[in-house]
Amino acid sequence: MSLVMQNVAVVLGARRVAEQVSLRVAPGEIVALLGPNGAGKTSLMRAGVGLLPLAAGRIELGGEPPHAFGPRARALRVAYLPQRPQAIWPINVERLVALGRYAYGAAPDRLGTDDQAAVDRALEACSLMALRARRMDELSGGERARAHLARALAQQAPLLVLDEPTAGLDPAQALAMADVLRTEAAYGRGVLISTHDIGLALRMAHCFVLLREGRVLAAGDASALTPDALEAAYGRKARIEAGVHPYAVFD
């Protein structure tokens, strides 16, 4: 399942939050959206899964526009994890993860064999087996973030769209989540992720789209993240230090 955006523009109220953005997420590929706050990353992701209308351009999800699908059909194609997702009732971890099976006709208290297997795999991938019976309101912020990611994984959609899933995680937790996403990509899932952690993005992503004020400043592999492009995006001199685990240095 591929996601294609071509010359996309998005308007919120009277403000154009994205303009002439093009990108592609192919199966087995991780694409990272980078840029400062207000760069348009969240709006692009929401438009990509059909939650915001386009002012111009086109988006295709597996060759069709996202709004062509109803909620269930869309959920079978793409799992979307917004910023700071909430569990607003005292549900336990396993039941939250089981909500990812809703598109298949399952419910947390009515899981078939395939549904339970998908839930167990997602719990295992996110190191949550020992916490499966714990209530969400009893968990740390990092544990809750892993539970919401597990719900998205249990959905078994071929495309993952994740808006800052590592925000608030400590370095070890963020690296563990990166490992999970690399594994999912190795299984053939496409992944579109937004993050402020450039080092983490360099560790896991195949392609990068660097944004500022809704426009693409650079796109491509890590070589596209030049010092000039990073300074234009963030307003600070910066460079990418190469190595086994490359990272960004800001002056």
Side-chain angles (χ1 to χ4, degrees), residues 39-221:
K41 302 183 296 294
T42 293
S43 296
L44 281 170
M45 289 184 144
R46 295 187 68 205
V49 298
L51 298 178
L52 283 180
L54 297 183
R58 69 181 180 88
I59 295 177
E60 291 184 355
L61 184 59
E64 299 288 338
H67 63 260
F69 305 111
R72 180 178 180 275
R74 189 183 305 151
L76 292 172
R77 290 163 172 80
V78 56
Y80 171 58
L81 185 62
Q83 288 185 39
R84 295 178 291 277
Q86 299 293 319
I88 58 175
W89 65 97
I91 192 171
N92 70 27
V93 170
E94 183 168 5
R95 282 175 172 258
L96 178 93
V97 175
L99 292 175
R101 304 302 297 172
Y102 185 76
Y104 298 87
D109 58 350
R110 191 179 66 251
L111 297 179
T113 302
D114 290 344
D115 301 311
Q116 188 63 60
V119 169
D120 289 344
R121 177 182 175 272
L123 289 168
E124 181 69 35
C126 295
S127 301
L128 290 168
M129 294 295 279
L131 300 178
R132 64 193 305 161
R134 291 272 298 277
R135 284 180 13 173
M136 289 292 292
D137 56 352
E138 297 173 342
L139 302 183
S140 70
E143 290 166 342
R144 289 196 298 271
R146 282 157 44 205
H148 285 291
L149 176 62
R151 177 183 56 78
L153 297 184
Q155 201 169 318
Q156 293 188 316
L159 178 67
L160 291 168
V161 176
L162 312 173
D163 195 357
E164 296 190 30
T166 61
L169 299 186
D170 66 38
Q173 291 172 333
L175 289 171
M177 188 173 286
D179 290 341
V180 170
L181 296 181
R182 280 202 302 266
T183 298
E184 294 303 312
Y187 288 151
R189 278 178 163 170
V191 180
L192 179 63
I193 180 173
S194 72
T195 181
H196 288 295
D197 190 334
I198 299 175
L200 190 72
L202 288 165
R203 190 181 180 99
M204 65 177 167
H206 304 95
C207 297
F208 306 85
V209 179
L210 181 63
L211 300 162
R212 183 177 178 88
E213 295 180 348
R215 291 184 176 273
V216 176
L217 297 181
D221 63 16

